[in-house]
Amino acid sequence: MKLFCVAFLMFTAFLGFLAFVAGVTGMAATQARTWGVLALAGLGTFAFSRVVVFLLADSLNCPLCHGAVMKERRCRKHHEAFRIWPLSYRASAVISLLITFGFRCMYCGTSYRLGRRRSQVQ
């Protein structure tokens, strides 16, 4: 559940950044105060989400290789790691996690599926 929360907060930070850019652009074009409020709200959302992600992402490690799942290191990535071309490995993992409830570790290439564990009926 913590992994899904971190992925959702990273997506929220991205939306906050987009709101900030839209607010700054609108404020520069029209000089309206409402665009400035949007820019500040977007910047606050971005900053809050990134701080919480920074605090929570330290404890999210791959069970197999113990690599930080939601923190991108400068080390070599696995050749089977999932990546959408213009995005980073971490951003691709966030999108994969939010859409399919699964991700592939960027360091060892192991595929993980999130969801409920089914209890066996005897």
Side-chain angles (χ1 to χ4, degrees), residues 47-113:
F48 176 75
S49 298
R50 293 297 295 186
V51 166
V52 173
V53 164
F54 180 76
L55 294 174
L56 291 178
D58 278 337
S59 63
L60 297 174
N61 295 327
C62 174
L64 185 62
C65 69
H66 302 288
V69 176
M70 287 295 158
K71 283 198 168 185
E72 203 161 340
R73 309 268 191 236
R74 292 186 179 198
C75 60
R76 182 171 287 212
K77 308 302 185 271
H78 195 269
H79 65 87
E80 290 183 6
F82 175 69
R83 181 174 182 220
I84 301 171
W85 172 69
L87 302 176
S88 66
Y89 286 100
R90 181 175 60 173
S92 300
V94 166
I95 290 173
S96 175
L97 187 63
L98 292 176
I99 292 174
T100 65
F101 295 103
F103 71 99
R104 185 177 290 271
C105 178
M106 65 183 97
Y107 302 110
C108 67
T110 305
S111 182
Y112 292 100
R113 182 98 177 119

